[in-house]
Amino acid sequence: ANTVNYAELAQSVADIVQGEPVNLIETLAQRIADRVLGDRRIRNVCVSVHKPAAPIAVEFSDVVVTISRSN
């Protein structure tokens, strides 16, 4: 009862990623953080979202946004 089921958590995150599209990866990161923090056993979360095919005019290999949230 005091542990998080990571398989369920991973499925929950996958559902968000595959769900309603967003324009900003920051929005996606926030949705994931909100879902994770919905479990009262989790006090802090750090979410990183990568977008390797971002529409940027210069050469790059990866774009990442990281947010940290807490209850």
Side-chain angles (χ1 to χ4, degrees):
N2 292 326
T3 61
V4 175
N5 182 322
Y6 291 103
E8 290 176 4
L9 184 59
Q11 184 60 58
S12 196
V13 170
D15 291 345
I16 293 168
V17 171
Q18 296 168 359
E20 182 182 345
V22 297
N23 291 324
L24 301 172
I25 59 176
E26 293 86 349
T27 302
L28 180 59
Q30 185 63 52
R31 286 183 181 176
I32 293 168
D34 289 343
R35 176 76 60 89
V36 171
L37 291 173
D39 184 327
R40 294 295 174 193
R41 295 170 296 181
I42 301 173
R43 296 183 184 164
N44 303 293
V45 65
C46 183
V47 177
S48 295
V49 176
H50 295 260
K51 188 171 183 177
I56 298 175
V58 297
E59 187 175 332
F60 69 98
S61 60
D62 189 22
V63 171
V64 63
V65 168
T66 300
I67 65 168
S68 297
R69 301 290 186 264
S70 61
N71 278 334

Coordinates of all heavy atoms in Angstrom, one line a residue:
A1 N 0.8 -1.2 0.0 CA 0.0 0.0 0.0 C 0.9 1.3 0.0 O 0.4 2.3 -0.4 CB -0.9 0.0 1.2
N2 N 2.1 1.1 0.4 CA 3.0 2.3 0.5 C 3.9 2.4 -0.7 O 4.8 3.3 -0.7 CB 3.8 2.3 1.8 CG 2.9 2.5 3.0 OD1 1.9 3.2 3.0 ND2 3.2 1.8 4.1
T3 N 3.8 1.5 -1.6 CA 4.7 1.6 -2.8 C 3.9 1.9 -4.1 O 2.8 1.7 -4.2 CB 5.5 0.3 -3.0 OG1 4.5 -0.8 -3.3 CG2 6.3 -0.1 -1.8
V4 N 4.6 2.5 -5.0 CA 4.0 2.9 -6.3 C 4.2 1.8 -7.3 O 5.3 1.2 -7.4 CB 4.7 4.2 -6.8 CG1 4.2 4.6 -8.2 CG2 4.5 5.4 -5.8
N5 N 3.2 1.4 -8.0 CA 3.3 0.4 -9.0 C 3.8 1.1 -10.3 O 3.0 1.8 -11.0 CB 1.9 -0.2 -9.2 CG 1.9 -1.3 -10.3 OD1 2.6 -1.2 -11.3 ND2 1.1 -2.3 -10.1
Y6 N 5.0 0.9 -10.6 CA 5.6 1.6 -11.7 C 5.1 1.2 -13.1 O 5.0 2.0 -14.0 CB 7.2 1.5 -11.7 CG 7.8 2.2 -10.6 CD1 8.2 1.6 -9.4 CD2 7.9 3.6 -10.6 CE1 8.7 2.3 -8.4 CE2 8.4 4.3 -9.5 CZ 8.8 3.6 -8.4 OH 9.3 4.3 -7.4
A7 N 4.6 0.0 -13.2 CA 3.9 -0.5 -14.4 C 2.6 0.4 -14.7 O 2.4 0.8 -15.8 CB 3.6 -2.0 -14.4
E8 N 1.9 0.6 -13.6 CA 0.6 1.4 -13.7 C 1.0 2.8 -14.0 O 0.3 3.5 -14.8 CB -0.2 1.3 -12.5 CG -0.8 -0.1 -12.3 CD -1.6 -0.2 -10.9 OE1 -1.6 0.9 -10.2 OE2 -2.1 -1.2 -10.6
L9 N 2.0 3.3 -13.4 CA 2.5 4.7 -13.6 C 2.9 4.9 -15.0 O 2.6 5.9 -15.7 CB 3.6 5.1 -12.6 CG 4.1 6.5 -12.7 CD1 2.9 7.5 -12.4 CD2 5.2 6.7 -11.6
A10 N 3.7 3.9 -15.5 CA 4.2 4.0 -16.9 C 3.0 4.0 -17.9 O 3.0 4.8 -18.9 CB 5.2 2.9 -17.2
Q11 N 2.0 3.2 -17.6 CA 0.9 3.1 -18.5 C 0.1 4.4 -18.5 O -0.4 4.9 -19.5 CB -0.1 2.0 -18.1 CG -1.3 1.8 -19.1 CD -0.8 1.6 -20.5 OE1 -0.1 0.6 -20.8 NE2 -1.2 2.4 -21.4
S12 N 0.0 5.0 -17.3 CA -0.7 6.3 -17.2 C 0.0 7.4 -18.0 O -0.6 8.2 -18.6 CB -0.7 6.7 -15.7 OG -1.7 7.6 -15.4
V13 N 1.3 7.4 -17.9 CA 2.1 8.4 -18.7 C 1.9 8.1 -20.2 O 1.7 9.1 -21.0 CB 3.6 8.4 -18.2 CG1 4.4 9.2 -19.2 CG2 3.7 8.9 -16.8
A14 N 2.0 6.9 -20.6 CA 1.8 6.5 -22.0 C 0.5 7.0 -22.5 O 0.3 7.5 -23.6 CB 2.0 5.0 -22.2
D15 N -0.6 6.8 -21.7 CA -1.9 7.3 -22.0 C -1.9 8.8 -22.3 O -2.6 9.3 -23.2 CB -2.9 6.9 -21.0 CG -3.2 5.4 -20.8 OD1 -2.8 4.7 -21.8 OD2 -3.7 5.0 -19.8
I16 N -1.2 9.5 -21.5 CA -1.2 11.0 -21.6 C -0.5 11.3 -22.9 O -0.9 12.2 -23.7 CB -0.5 11.7 -20.4 CG1 -1.3 11.5 -19.2 CG2 -0.2 13.1 -20.7 CD1 -0.6 11.9 -17.9
V17 N 0.7 10.7 -23.2 CA 1.5 11.0 -24.4 C 0.7 10.7 -25.6 O 0.8 11.4 -26.6 CB 2.8 10.2 -24.3 CG1 3.6 10.3 -25.6 CG2 3.7 10.7 -23.2
Q18 N 0.0 9.6 -25.6 CA -0.8 9.1 -26.8 C -2.2 9.8 -26.8 O -2.9 9.6 -27.9 CB -1.0 7.6 -26.7 CG 0.3 6.9 -26.8 CD 0.2 5.4 -26.5 OE1 -0.9 4.9 -26.2 NE2 1.3 4.7 -26.6
G19 N -2.5 10.6 -25.8 CA -3.9 11.2 -25.8 C -4.0 12.5 -26.6 O -3.3 12.6 -27.6
E20 N -4.7 13.4 -26.0 CA -5.0 14.7 -26.7 C -3.7 15.4 -27.0 O -2.8 15.6 -26.1 CB -5.8 15.6 -25.7 CG -6.2 16.9 -26.3 CD -7.0 17.8 -25.3 OE1 -7.5 17.3 -24.3 OE2 -7.1 19.0 -25.6
P21 N -3.5 15.8 -28.3 CA -2.3 16.5 -28.7 C -2.1 17.9 -28.0 O -3.1 18.5 -27.6 CB -2.4 16.7 -30.2 CG -3.5 15.8 -30.6 CD -4.4 15.6 -29.4
V22 N -0.9 18.3 -27.8 CA -0.6 19.6 -27.2 C 0.4 20.3 -28.2 O 1.1 19.7 -29.0 CB 0.1 19.5 -25.8 CG1 -0.9 18.8 -24.9 CG2 1.3 18.7 -25.9
N23 N 0.4 21.6 -28.1 CA 1.3 22.4 -28.9 C 2.7 22.6 -28.3 O 3.6 22.9 -29.0 CB 0.7 23.8 -29.2 CG -0.5 23.7 -30.1 OD1 -0.6 22.9 -31.0 ND2 -1.5 24.5 -29.9
L24 N 2.7 22.5 -27.0 CA 4.0 22.8 -26.3 C 4.4 21.5 -25.4 O 3.5 21.0 -24.7 CB 3.9 24.0 -25.3 CG 3.5 25.3 -26.0 CD1 3.2 26.3 -24.9 CD2 4.6 25.8 -26.8
I25 N 5.7 21.2 -25.5 CA 6.1 20.1 -24.6 C 6.0 20.4 -23.2 O 5.9 19.5 -22.3 CB 7.5 19.5 -25.1 CG1 8.6 20.6 -25.0 CG2 7.4 18.9 -26.4 CD1 10.0 20.0 -25.3
E26 N 6.0 21.7 -22.8 CA 5.9 22.1 -21.5 C 4.5 21.7 -20.9 O 4.3 21.3 -19.8 CB 6.0 23.6 -21.3 CG 7.4 24.2 -21.6 CD 7.7 24.4 -23.1 OE1 6.9 24.0 -23.9 OE2 8.8 25.0 -23.3
T27 N 3.5 21.8 -21.8 CA 2.1 21.4 -21.4 C 2.1 19.9 -21.2 O 1.4 19.4 -20.2 CB 1.1 21.8 -22.6 OG1 1.2 23.2 -22.8 CG2 -0.3 21.4 -22.2
L28 N 2.7 19.1 -22.0 CA 2.8 17.7 -21.8 C 3.5 17.3 -20.5 O 3.0 16.5 -19.8 CB 3.5 17.0 -23.0 CG 3.6 15.5 -23.0 CD1 2.2 14.9 -22.9 CD2 4.4 15.0 -24.2
A29 N 4.6 18.0 -20.2 CA 5.3 17.7 -19.0 C 4.4 18.0 -17.8 O 4.4 17.3 -16.8 CB 6.6 18.6 -18.9
Q30 N 3.6 19.1 -17.9 CA 2.8 19.5 -16.7 C 1.6 18.5 -16.6 O 1.3 18.1 -15.4 CB 2.2 20.9 -16.9 CG 1.3 21.4 -15.8 CD 2.2 21.5 -14.5 OE1 3.2 22.1 -14.5 NE2 1.7 20.9 -13.4
R31 N 1.1 18.0 -17.7 CA 0.0 17.0 -17.6 C 0.5 15.7 -16.9 O -0.2 15.1 -16.1 CB -0.5 16.7 -19.0 CG -1.4 17.8 -19.5 CD -2.0 17.4 -20.8 NE -2.8 18.5 -21.4 CZ -3.4 18.4 -22.6 NH1 -3.2 17.4 -23.3 NH2 -4.1 19.5 -23.0
I32 N 1.7 15.3 -17.3 CA 2.3 14.2 -16.7 C 2.6 14.4 -15.2 O 2.2 13.5 -14.3 CB 3.6 13.8 -17.4 CG1 3.3 13.3 -18.8 CG2 4.4 12.7 -16.6 CD1 4.5 13.2 -19.7
A33 N 3.1 15.5 -14.8 CA 3.4 15.8 -13.4 C 2.1 15.9 -12.6 O 2.0 15.3 -11.5 CB 4.1 17.2 -13.3
D34 N 1.1 16.4 -13.2 CA -0.2 16.5 -12.5 C -0.8 15.1 -12.2 O -1.3 14.8 -11.1 CB -1.3 17.3 -13.3 CG -1.0 18.7 -13.3 OD1 -0.2 19.2 -12.5 OD2 -1.6 19.4 -14.2
R35 N -0.7 14.2 -13.2 CA -1.1 12.8 -13.0 C -0.3 12.1 -12.0 O -0.9 11.4 -11.1 CB -1.1 12.1 -14.4 CG -1.4 10.6 -14.3 CD -2.9 10.4 -14.2 NE -3.7 10.9 -15.3 CZ -4.0 10.3 -16.5 NH1 -3.5 9.0 -16.7 NH2 -4.7 10.9 -17.4
V36 N 1.0 12.2 -12.0 CA 1.8 11.5 -11.1 C 1.5 12.0 -9.6 O 1.4 11.3 -8.7 CB 3.3 11.7 -11.4 CG1 4.2 11.2 -10.3 CG2 3.7 11.0 -12.7
L37 N 1.4 13.3 -9.5 CA 1.2 13.9 -8.2 C -0.2 13.7 -7.7 O -0.6 13.9 -6.5 CB 1.5 15.4 -8.1 CG 3.0 15.7 -8.3 CD1 3.2 17.2 -8.4 CD2 3.8 15.2 -7.1
G38 N -1.1 13.1 -8.6 CA -2.4 12.7 -8.1 C -2.4 11.6 -7.2 O -3.4 11.3 -6.4
D39 N -1.3 10.8 -7.2 CA -1.1 9.7 -6.2 C -0.5 10.4 -5.0 O 0.6 10.8 -5.0 CB -0.1 8.7 -6.8 CG 0.0 7.5 -5.9 OD1 0.0 7.6 -4.7 OD2 0.2 6.4 -6.5
R40 N -1.2 10.4 -3.9 CA -0.8 11.1 -2.7 C 0.5 10.5 -2.0 O 1.1 11.2 -1.2 CB -1.9 11.1 -1.6 CG -3.1 11.9 -2.1 CD -2.7 13.4 -2.2 NE -3.8 14.2 -2.7 CZ -3.6 15.4 -3.2 NH1 -2.5 16.0 -3.1 NH2 -4.6 16.1 -3.7
R41 N 0.9 9.3 -2.4 CA 2.1 8.8 -1.9 C 3.3 9.4 -2.5 O 4.4 9.4 -2.0 CB 2.2 7.3 -2.2 CG 1.1 6.5 -1.4 CD 1.1 5.1 -1.9 NE 0.6 5.1 -3.3 CZ 0.5 4.0 -4.1 NH1 0.7 2.8 -3.5 NH2 0.1 4.1 -5.3
I42 N 3.1 10.1 -3.7 CA 4.2 10.7 -4.4 C 4.2 12.2 -4.0 O 3.2 12.9 -4.2 CB 4.1 10.6 -5.9 CG1 4.1 9.1 -6.2 CG2 5.2 11.3 -6.6 CD1 3.7 8.8 -7.7
R43 N 5.3 12.7 -3.5 CA 5.4 14.0 -3.0 C 6.1 15.0 -4.0 O 5.9 16.2 -4.0 CB 6.2 14.1 -1.6 CG 5.4 13.3 -0.6 CD 6.2 13.4 0.7 NE 5.5 12.7 1.7 CZ 6.0 12.3 2.9 NH1 7.2 12.6 3.2 NH2 5.3 11.6 3.7
N44 N 7.0 14.4 -4.8 CA 7.8 15.2 -5.7 C 7.9 14.5 -7.0 O 8.0 13.2 -7.0 CB 9.2 15.5 -5.2 CG 9.2 16.2 -3.9 OD1 8.8 17.3 -3.8 ND2 9.6 15.5 -2.8
V45 N 8.0 15.2 -8.1 CA 8.2 14.6 -9.4 C 9.1 15.5 -10.3 O 9.0 16.8 -10.2 CB 6.9 14.3 -10.1 CG1 6.1 15.6 -10.4 CG2 7.1 13.5 -11.4
C46 N 9.9 14.9 -11.1 CA 10.7 15.7 -12.0 C 10.5 15.0 -13.4 O 10.7 13.8 -13.5 CB 12.2 15.6 -11.7 SG 13.3 16.5 -12.8
V47 N 9.9 15.8 -14.3 CA 9.5 15.2 -15.6 C 10.4 15.9 -16.7 O 10.5 17.1 -16.8 CB 8.0 15.5 -15.9 CG1 7.6 15.0 -17.3 CG2 7.1 14.9 -14.8
S48 N 10.9 15.0 -17.6 CA 11.7 15.5 -18.7 C 11.0 15.0 -20.0 O 10.7 13.8 -20.1 CB 13.1 15.0 -18.7 OG 13.8 15.6 -17.6
V49 N 10.7 15.9 -20.9 CA 10.1 15.5 -22.2 C 11.1 15.9 -23.3 O 11.5 17.1 -23.4 CB 8.7 16.3 -22.4 CG1 8.2 15.9 -23.7 CG2 7.8 15.9 -21.3
H50 N 11.4 14.9 -24.1 CA 12.3 15.1 -25.2 C 11.5 15.3 -26.5 O 10.5 14.6 -26.7 CB 13.3 13.9 -25.4 CG 14.2 13.7 -24.2 ND1 15.5 14.2 -24.2 CD2 14.0 13.2 -23.0 CE1 16.0 13.9 -23.1 NE2 15.1 13.3 -22.3
K51 N 12.0 16.1 -27.4 CA 11.4 16.3 -28.7 C 12.5 16.4 -29.8 O 13.0 17.4 -30.2 CB 10.6 17.6 -28.8 CG 9.8 17.7 -30.1 CD 8.8 18.8 -30.0 CE 7.9 18.9 -31.3 NZ 6.9 19.9 -31.2
P52 N 13.0 15.2 -30.2 CA 14.1 15.2 -31.2 C 13.8 15.7 -32.5 O 14.8 16.1 -33.3 CB 14.5 13.7 -31.2 CG 13.2 13.0 -30.8 CD 12.5 13.9 -29.9
A53 N 12.6 15.9 -32.9 CA 12.2 16.4 -34.2 C 11.6 17.8 -34.1 O 10.6 18.1 -34.8 CB 11.3 15.5 -35.0
A54 N 12.0 18.6 -33.2 CA 11.4 20.0 -33.0 C 11.6 20.8 -34.2 O 12.7 20.7 -34.9 CB 12.0 20.6 -31.8
P55 N 10.7 21.7 -34.5 CA 10.8 22.6 -35.7 C 11.8 23.8 -35.4 O 11.4 24.9 -35.2 CB 9.4 23.1 -35.9 CG 8.8 23.1 -34.6 CD 9.4 21.9 -33.8
I56 N 13.1 23.5 -35.5 CA 14.1 24.5 -35.2 C 15.0 24.6 -36.5 O 15.3 23.5 -37.1 CB 14.9 24.1 -34.0 CG1 14.0 24.0 -32.8 CG2 16.1 25.1 -33.8 CD1 14.7 23.6 -31.5
A57 N 15.3 25.8 -36.9 CA 16.0 26.0 -38.2 C 17.5 25.7 -38.1 O 18.2 25.7 -39.1 CB 15.8 27.4 -38.7
V58 N 18.0 25.5 -36.9 CA 19.5 25.2 -36.8 C 19.7 23.7 -36.5 O 18.8 23.0 -36.0 CB 20.2 26.1 -35.8 CG1 20.1 27.5 -36.2 CG2 19.5 25.8 -34.4
E59 N 20.9 23.2 -36.7 CA 21.1 21.8 -36.5 C 21.2 21.5 -35.0 O 21.7 22.3 -34.2 CB 22.5 21.4 -37.1 CG 22.8 19.9 -37.0 CD 24.1 19.5 -37.7 OE1 24.4 20.2 -38.6 OE2 24.7 18.6 -37.2
F60 N 20.5 20.4 -34.5 CA 20.5 20.0 -33.1 C 20.2 18.5 -33.1 O 19.7 18.0 -34.1 CB 19.4 20.8 -32.4 CG 18.0 20.5 -32.8 CD1 17.3 19.6 -32.0 CD2 17.4 21.0 -33.9 CE1 16.0 19.2 -32.4 CE2 16.1 20.6 -34.3 CZ 15.4 19.7 -33.5
S61 N 20.4 17.9 -32.0 CA 20.1 16.5 -31.8 C 18.9 16.2 -31.0 O 18.3 15.2 -31.1 CB 21.3 15.8 -31.3 OG 21.7 16.3 -30.0
D62 N 18.6 17.1 -30.0 CA 17.5 16.9 -29.1 C 17.1 18.2 -28.4 O 17.9 19.0 -28.2 CB 17.9 15.9 -28.1 CG 16.8 15.4 -27.2 OD1 15.6 15.5 -27.6 OD2 17.1 14.9 -26.1
V63 N 15.8 18.3 -28.2 CA 15.3 19.4 -27.3 C 14.6 18.8 -26.2 O 13.9 17.8 -26.3 CB 14.3 20.3 -28.1 CG1 13.6 21.3 -27.2 CG2 14.9 21.0 -29.3
V64 N 14.9 19.3 -25.0 CA 14.3 18.7 -23.8 C 13.8 19.8 -22.8 O 14.5 20.8 -22.7 CB 15.3 17.7 -23.0 CG1 16.5 18.5 -22.5 CG2 14.6 17.0 -21.9
V65 N 12.7 19.6 -22.2 CA 12.1 20.4 -21.2 C 12.0 19.6 -20.0 O 11.5 18.5 -20.0 CB 10.7 21.0 -21.6 CG1 10.1 21.7 -20.4 CG2 10.9 22.0 -22.8
T66 N 12.5 20.1 -18.8 CA 12.4 19.5 -17.6 C 11.7 20.4 -16.6 O 12.0 21.6 -16.5 CB 13.8 19.1 -17.0 OG1 14.4 18.2 -18.0 CG2 13.7 18.4 -15.7
I67 N 10.7 19.8 -15.9 CA 10.0 20.6 -14.8 C 10.0 19.7 -13.5 O 10.1 18.5 -13.6 CB 8.5 20.9 -15.2 CG1 7.7 19.7 -15.3 CG2 8.5 21.8 -16.4 CD1 6.2 19.9 -15.4
S68 N 10.0 20.4 -12.4 CA 10.0 19.8 -11.1 C 8.7 20.4 -10.4 O 8.5 21.6 -10.4 CB 11.2 20.1 -10.3 OG 12.3 19.5 -10.9
R69 N 8.0 19.5 -9.8 CA 6.8 19.9 -9.1 C 6.7 19.1 -7.8 O 7.3 18.0 -7.6 CB 5.5 19.6 -9.9 CG 5.4 20.3 -11.2 CD 5.3 21.8 -11.1 NE 5.1 22.5 -12.3 CZ 6.0 23.1 -13.0 NH1 7.3 23.1 -12.5 NH2 5.8 23.7 -14.1
S70 N 6.0 19.6 -6.8 CA 5.8 18.9 -5.5 C 4.4 19.2 -5.0 O 3.8 20.2 -5.3 CB 6.8 19.3 -4.5 OG 6.8 20.7 -4.3
N71 N 3.9 18.4 -4.1 CA 2.6 18.6 -3.4 C 2.9 19.4 -2.2 O 3.9 19.4 -1.6 CB 2.0 17.2 -3.0 CG 1.3 16.6 -4.2 OD1 0.8 17.3 -5.1 ND2 1.2 15.3 -4.1

